[in-house]
């Protein structure tokens, strides 16, 4: 899980205005994420996050020309709060953290979000947009999915504490793993609403919070703090044995990934992880990792070093 979001900057650092004044680009799109979200909430319209690199390749140039610069795009800006970052412009400097959070691997990249900024769907993987009509048709095809998300969000604000927690869990499960960091405020809300774990979900969100906080620490180079977040979570009685196992295994992974040569410490994390749930689905992989690092430890004095990253790449 951690490897999938390793490079993500935590949500708590992204919801910071990059400028005091409302900023828009030459196409009339917001260049400040916070302003785009505020506009979406004020007008009760969805957020559309668009990432391009206009001057870097033909496909992005075509997207900007055929879609964003099209006169019909003005209707999109009325129905959606459009946040646009172009990697070939100065905007990317102010919005680098946002771009990383959206886990962008190819551009153009377009994300449909609720007014709160919760990601409903990445729509740019489905097909190339060669015209405004195609772009509009795809957005229209997402209306039902957007409506479902809006209903799930609305449910998180209704009923008893346990009902709200269940509603948050429904939304969390419906959100793709790589975009769940956007749900950080709701994760924190679960832990406030269910302090006694009456729903049985507190452990899940203690782990989710640890993951987000660990990403924050690791992204700044503070591996020790990142590891500590998982160790603290593992000490919580609300976590199941397999969740605690995951915490210690991830602690070992983080230490290995950072290049630590504290093989005894890594071995301790791995052995603790294995002992917590020796019959789990992950146990065989953990056992292999223990054997692997045992060999490394034995060969260190012989200067017969094995690449620690081969374990890190498996996580």
């Amino acid at each position: 899980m951690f490897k999938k979001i390793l490079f993500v900057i935590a949500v708590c650092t992204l919801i910071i205005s990059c400028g005091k004044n409302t900023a828009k680009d030459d196409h009339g799109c917001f260049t400040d994420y916070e302003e785009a979200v505020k506009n979406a909430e004020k007008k009760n319209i969805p957020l559309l996050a668009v990432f391009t690199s206009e001057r870097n390749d033909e496909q992005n140039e075509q997207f900007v020309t055929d879609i964003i610069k099209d006169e019909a795009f003005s209707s999109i800006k009325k129905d959606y709060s459009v946040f646009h970052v172009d990697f070939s412009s100065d905007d990317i400097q102010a919005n680098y953290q946002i771009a990383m959070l959206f886990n962008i691997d190819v551009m153009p990249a377009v994300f449909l979000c609720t007014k709160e900024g919760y990601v409903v769907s990445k729509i740019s993987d489905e097909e190339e947009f060669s015209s405004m009509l195609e772009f509009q048709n795809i957005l229209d095809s997402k209306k039902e999915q957007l409506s479902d998300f809006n209903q799930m969000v609305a449910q998180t604000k209704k009923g008893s504490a346990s009902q709200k927690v269940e509603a948050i869990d429904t939304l969390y499960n419906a959100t793709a793993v790589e975009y769940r960091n956007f749900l950080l405020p709701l994760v924190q809300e679960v832990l406030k609403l269910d302090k006694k774990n009456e729903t049985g979900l507190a452990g899940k969100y203690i782990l989710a919070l640890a993951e987000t906080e660990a990403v924050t620490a690791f992204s700044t180079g503070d591996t020790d703090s990142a590891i500590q977040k998982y160790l603290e979570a593992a000490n919580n009685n609300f976590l199941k044995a397999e969740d605690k196992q995951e915490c210690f295994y991830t602690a070992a992974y983080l230490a290995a990934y950072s290049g630590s040569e504290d093989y005894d410490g890594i071995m301790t994390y791995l052995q603790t992880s294995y002992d917590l749930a020796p019959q789990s689905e992950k146990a065989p992989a953990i056992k292999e990792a223990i054997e692997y690092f045992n060999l490394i430890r034995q060969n260190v004095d012989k200067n017969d070093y094995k690449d620690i990253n081969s374990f890190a790449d498996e996580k």
Side-chain angles (χ1 to χ4, degrees):
M1 174 70 71
F2 192 93
K3 188 176 182 182
K4 293 179 181 178
I5 57 175
L6 188 61
F7 57 89
V8 175
I9 307 301
V11 173
C12 60
T13 62
L14 80 86
I15 309 298
I16 299 176
S17 177
C18 300
K20 296 299 181 182
N21 299 319
T22 300
K24 292 187 177 182
D25 60 18
D26 294 338
H27 315 299
C29 302
F30 287 96
T31 58
D32 180 275
Y33 180 81
E34 183 183 5
E35 291 296 333
V37 173
K38 286 181 179 178
N39 182 64
E41 293 182 320
K42 179 180 179 180
K43 296 182 178 179
N44 194 28
I45 56 178
L47 173 72
L48 197 65
V50 182
F51 298 87
T52 60
S53 186
E54 184 179 2
R55 295 196 297 267
N56 290 341
D57 65 64
E58 184 177 344
Q59 184 177 354
N60 278 271
E61 183 179 357
Q62 180 182 1
F63 179 85
V64 173
T65 300
D66 295 343
I67 308 299
I68 297 180
K69 291 183 179 180
D70 191 293
E71 290 184 3
F73 194 73
S74 58
S75 65
I76 299 292
K77 288 181 291 185
K78 291 179 181 179
D79 296 333
Y80 300 84
S81 183
V82 183
F83 168 66
H84 177 218
V85 176
D86 192 282
F87 277 67
S88 59
S89 73
D90 293 338
D91 292 339
I92 187 57
Q93 299 301 321
N95 289 301
Y96 184 74
Q97 293 178 335
I98 312 298
M100 297 299 284
L101 185 69
F102 275 100
N103 197 7
I104 298 169
D105 54 1
V106 65
M107 290 177 289
V110 183
F111 301 85
L112 175 63
C113 312
T114 67
K115 64 182 180 182
E116 296 85 3
Y118 306 147
V119 179
V120 175
S121 174
K122 180 181 180 182
I123 66 175
S124 50
D125 283 340
E126 300 191 0
E127 63 178 276
E128 294 182 8
F129 309 118
S130 59
S131 71
M132 257 302 301
L133 180 60
E134 289 182 359
F135 187 69
Q136 183 68 67
N137 286 340
I138 291 179
L139 286 179
D140 289 344
S141 72
K142 295 292 183 180
K143 286 184 177 180
E144 184 175 352
Q145 186 179 4
L146 174 62
S147 177
D148 290 341
F149 262 73
N150 284 334
Q151 290 179 27
M152 285 187 282
V153 173
Q155 289 301 315
T156 67
K157 304 171 185 178
K158 300 178 180 179
S160 64
S162 61
Q163 288 174 323
K164 290 178 180 177
V165 170
E166 294 287 352
I168 291 172
D169 190 55
T170 298
L171 176 63
Y172 188 87
N173 292 335
T175 302
V177 174
E178 57 266 39
Y179 309 126
R180 286 177 178 171
N181 273 358
F182 282 106
L183 301 175
L184 175 61
L186 294 180
V187 170
Q188 295 171 324
E189 185 69 10
V190 167
L191 301 181
K192 293 178 181 178
L193 292 170
D194 194 13
K195 295 180 180 180
K196 296 182 179 180
N197 194 28
E198 294 177 355
T199 65
L201 292 168
K204 175 180 179 178
Y205 289 98
I206 288 170
L207 181 57
L209 181 59
E211 288 173 346
T212 299
E213 292 179 335
V215 168
T216 304
F218 196 86
S219 69
T220 62
D222 191 351
T223 303
D224 290 341
S225 292
I227 290 173
Q228 190 61 34
K229 295 299 181 182
Y230 279 99
L231 299 183
E232 290 173 359
N235 285 328
N236 193 293
N237 292 329
F238 291 154
L239 265 68
K240 298 177 182 178
E242 290 188 6
D243 291 332
K244 293 183 178 183
Q245 180 179 74
E246 180 68 24
C247 287
F248 280 101
Y249 185 64
T250 304
Y253 163 73
L254 288 175
Y257 191 92
S258 66
S260 172
E261 295 183 5
D262 180 12
Y263 305 123
D264 289 338
I266 293 173
M267 286 280 289
T268 297
Y269 292 145
L270 289 171
Q271 189 62 58
T272 302
S273 175
Y274 180 81
D275 292 342
L276 280 164
Q279 303 303 319
S280 72
E281 183 177 344
K282 199 160 201 170
I286 298 173
K287 189 173 183 180
E288 288 182 9
I290 292 172
E291 294 171 354
Y292 174 76
F293 276 99
N294 189 42
L295 286 174
I296 290 181
R297 188 170 57 180
Q298 291 174 6
N299 291 327
V300 165
D301 294 336
K302 302 176 184 178
N303 295 320
D304 185 12
Y305 180 74
K306 297 184 71 176
D307 186 6
I308 198 170
N309 288 326
S310 61
F311 162 69
D313 289 341
E314 293 174 0
K315 177 67 173 66

